[in-house]
Amino acid sequence: MTTTATTPTTADTSAAPDGLPLTISAAAAALRDGSLTSVALTQAVQARADKLDSALGTFIGRYNETALAAAAKADEELAAGVDKGLLHGIPLGIKDIIATSDGPSTAQSLVLRPEFGQFEDGRHDALVVSRLRAAGGIITGKVTTSEYACGMPDESKGFPTPHNPFGLDYWTGGSSAGTGSGVAAGLFLGGLGTDTGGSIRIPASWCGISGMMQTFGRVPKSGCVPLGFSYDHIGPMTRSARDAAAMLAVLAGHDESDATSVDVPVPDYVAALTGTMEGLKVAVDLTSLSSPKCDPAIAELTLAAIEVFKQAGAEVTEITLPFFAELDTTAMTGLFAEALAYHQTDLQKRFLDYGRNTRKMLTSAAMITAADYVQMQRVRRVGVKAVTELFGQYDLIVNPTGIIAAPPNGALDYEGLAGTILTSYWNATGNPAMSIPMGQNALGLPAGLQIAGKPFDEATVFQAADAFQLLTDHHLAEAPTVLEMLA
Amino acid sequence: MSPTAEETVTVMLAAAGITVPDDEKAEFVAAYPAFRASLDALYAVPMSHEEEPQLIFSPFV
């Protein structure tokens, strides 16, 4: 049955049947009213991981002892009145292409050099991980990714295969697979993903959570294995938009360690959540709903979501995004052109150590000429101009994140996904874009709505997403499979 | 006469120095015409002949 309920809810009291807070906001409130400690919360998510991880394939490595030590410290600080903000004492998961001092990174590949993240004086955190720790976040472990943040699940290389909490036979989406499944299953309350062509928004959509790819350059990427240098983002994945706003407030801000980092002020994203869309001009592109590949339930959910936007006060106008196919090409071939520069020497020597889909995607870029690559960048400029003109008329642009829900793990086909995922357009232009849950299809698999904004105006994207979630409860849906395994 | 997809793929892989198994090379050959067409479509996007690329070089590190 398609779920289109619009039940008013508040995120700050949400809890699972076992008492685990569903959101960072709910946990933060409980940590401050004395009903929960960070140690108890961390132990609870670790207990969930003990029960669920073998079925979900979420973790590459768990840091139970260091996480509990950090939680104990957070409890001491909060008790002493030292409050570092909403992430203080909150368990988080880190995609395994982002360096952490607790243990090695693999990028879920046999090829990544073991010295990645390792310096003479020991292992180092990526800048984003340092920022999360400084805000009191608890690092629970490193979580699964598609190999090198591309490719698809590949059981032949000895790494865990990610499974969707809403249906274990289905893919989580990628590449931020473990972050998606881990947040959805309550193995941590928030996490870091990366997004080069949709790798935050796709698993967010298919696992029923919220995922933000902020403006290119907003969050420094130093300490993260690159994929497409001019398309990559590190961003937050959480159940609610409010939680993602709290995480981005910590992650964002210029740092010269990343050449693409942009020095612009970071607003108080949480304070900017007004709970309404009154006064917002929202353009919607429904072109994809007429595709023969579109799941009819997702078409229905998208139209229902647009009605919620109107209910929340938005002024909605239908448009068609310009240069959609061409910008998709510039992202989905351009990112591999950039990736090939990083991988070519390894592909020459260790081709078969890469997973089959990964080496196929990376090597496809060998068929691109230098002129093709520069032409992609010229088309990106044309696209940015066209999108800038649209954003002169509208505050936000909305379309479904994809027109299918998660495909079965046993039938994954990269070419078959072509035209079904609508995320890469915004990697080409660099605008912020977020996926939020909008319901489930006939199989009970989640689907996402994509909201894009003006460059460096994530605040308005969050405002709309939060207002939507105040009128709906899709982001709080618990996977029946998870509840059964916990029972 | 234009080179075939197989000839082009063979040359491009060799230029990159990447050796692939025959079955995987066959996949590249099969996919190449559509792949090339998607790239050729980028040259048909209306733009000034002097349009600049979005990536701009900077002399600063």
Side-chain angles (χ1 to χ4, degrees):
Chain A
M1 191 179 82
T2 302
T3 305
T4 56
T6 56
T7 309
T9 185
T10 57
D12 289 341
T13 58
S14 58
D18 64 0
L20 184 73
L22 290 174
T23 64
I24 291 172
S25 303
L31 289 172
R32 283 156 183 79
D33 70 18
S35 61
L36 183 67
T37 65
S38 179
V39 167
L41 175 60
T42 303
Q43 288 171 331
V45 296
Q46 289 175 345
R48 274 200 173 206
D50 290 341
K51 289 182 180 175
L52 303 178
D53 188 41
S54 61
L56 293 176
T58 296
F59 280 100
I60 294 270
R62 290 173 58 186
Y63 306 140
N64 288 351
E65 291 183 10
T66 52
L68 285 171
K73 184 181 176 201
D75 285 334
E76 288 174 14
E77 290 169 338
L78 287 166
V82 178
D83 192 331
K84 297 178 177 174
L86 283 174
L87 300 188
H88 202 169
I90 301 297
L92 304 169
I94 308 296
K95 184 177 181 178
D96 196 28
I97 63 168
I98 301 168
T100 59
S101 57
D102 317 77
S105 303
T106 69
Q108 200 138 343
S109 179
L110 301 176
V111 180
L112 183 70
R113 289 160 176 75
E115 60 267 27
F116 173 78
Q118 175 81 52
F119 295 85
E120 287 182 5
D121 59 343
R123 294 203 171 279
H124 282 232
D125 285 334
L127 181 67
V128 285
V129 176
S130 298
R131 287 179 173 178
L132 291 176
R133 286 195 211 274
I138 310 299
I139 308 302
T140 61
K142 301 293 281 295
V143 299
T144 45
T145 168
S146 304
E147 184 180 16
Y148 275 114
C150 62
M152 302 182 87
D154 186 335
E155 294 181 356
S156 70
K157 302 301 180 190
F159 292 97
T161 300
H163 296 272
N164 194 311
F166 283 85
L168 295 179
D169 293 335
Y170 293 85
W171 190 26
T172 53
S175 63
S176 305
T179 321
S181 66
V183 170
L187 308 191
F188 37 82
L189 301 187
L192 293 183
T194 64
D195 194 317
T196 308
S199 287
I200 286 174
R201 290 160 289 158
I202 297 164
S205 173
W206 289 353
C207 293
I209 66 169
S210 303
M212 167 60 98
M213 179 193 77
Q214 68 289 327
T215 311
F216 184 78
R218 174 66 101 178
V219 172
K221 305 182 298 297
S222 44
C224 180
V225 178
L227 179 58
F229 296 99
S230 72
Y231 304 87
D232 288 344
H233 308 69
I234 303 172
M237 298 172 73
T238 55
R239 273 192 177 267
S240 73
R242 175 173 289 269
D243 289 358
M247 278 192 74
L248 185 61
V250 169
L251 300 170
H254 174 66
D255 191 272
E256 61 185 17
S257 61
D258 176 357
T260 62
S261 173
V262 180
D263 192 0
V264 292
V266 179
D268 185 338
Y269 293 119
V270 176
L273 302 177
T274 62
T276 178
M277 295 193 218
E278 288 292 343
L280 291 184
K281 293 182 178 176
V282 177
V284 298
D285 183 349
L286 304 177
T287 312
S288 60
L289 303 188
S290 57
S291 164
K293 292 183 174 181
C294 183
D295 180 337
I298 290 182
E300 187 182 327
L301 292 170
T302 304
L303 296 175
I306 299 306
E307 290 305 310
V308 176
F309 269 61
K310 293 176 183 172
Q311 186 184 339
E315 181 186 320
V316 175
T317 305
E318 196 166 336
I319 58 129
T320 299
L321 282 167
F323 304 115
F324 196 90
E326 293 86 352
L327 288 171
D328 179 65
T329 297
T330 67
M332 297 311 292
T333 58
L335 78 87
F336 288 117
E338 295 180 5
L340 185 58
Y342 177 87
H343 287 282
Q344 183 162 293
T345 54
D346 287 330
L347 286 164
Q348 290 167 346
K349 297 170 188 166
R350 304 184 61 183
F351 188 78
L352 296 176
D353 282 340
Y354 287 89
R356 183 167 179 136
N357 274 301
T358 311
R359 64 196 190 225
K360 181 178 179 180
M361 292 178 188
L362 295 172
T363 304
S364 69
M367 320 306 161
I368 299 168
T369 69
D372 293 338
Y373 178 75
V374 175
Q375 185 65 9
M376 289 175 207
Q377 307 313 321
R378 298 175 80 207
V379 171
R380 284 176 87 181
R381 190 167 187 84
V382 171
V384 167
K385 287 178 183 175
V387 163
T388 300
E389 193 174 321
L390 264 181
F391 275 117
Q393 303 169 62
Y394 304 104
D395 300 297
L396 299 168
I397 299 176
V398 170
N399 63 351
T401 308
I403 55 173
I404 61 168
N409 256 335
L412 294 175
D413 167 23
Y414 180 68
E415 283 81 10
L417 293 176
T420 65
I421 294 168
L422 310 176
T423 51
S424 65
Y425 186 88
W426 300 115
N427 296 82
T429 66
N431 293 69
M434 180 173 204
S435 181
I436 58 172
M438 63 174 179
Q440 299 167 8
N441 74 356
L443 297 172
L445 297 169
L449 185 75
Q450 183 170 234
I451 307 170
K454 299 173 185 174
F456 298 101
D457 188 21
E458 295 86 3
T460 303
V461 177
F462 283 134
Q463 177 192 340
D466 177 63
F468 182 89
Q469 292 180 344
L470 289 173
L471 292 171
T472 62
D473 59 4
H474 307 305
H475 62 296
L476 300 176
E478 287 246 71
T481 308
V482 168
L483 296 177
E484 287 167 18
M485 286 192 287
L486 288 173
Chain B
M1 194 170 77
S2 299
T4 65
E6 178 158 13
E7 288 167 341
T8 302
V9 168
T10 300
V11 167
M12 300 293 259
L13 288 174
I18 300 172
T19 304
V20 308
D22 287 346
D23 61 327
E24 295 185 41
K25 181 181 171 185
E27 291 179 13
F28 287 126
V29 171
Y32 184 75
F35 184 76
R36 187 62 245 172
S38 72
L39 295 172
D40 287 341
L42 300 181
Y43 294 89
V45 171
M47 66 172 75
S48 160
H49 196 53
E50 286 71 39
E51 185 64 76
E52 292 187 286
Q54 186 65 5
L55 300 184
I56 305 297
F57 175 76
S58 167
F60 299 107
V61 173

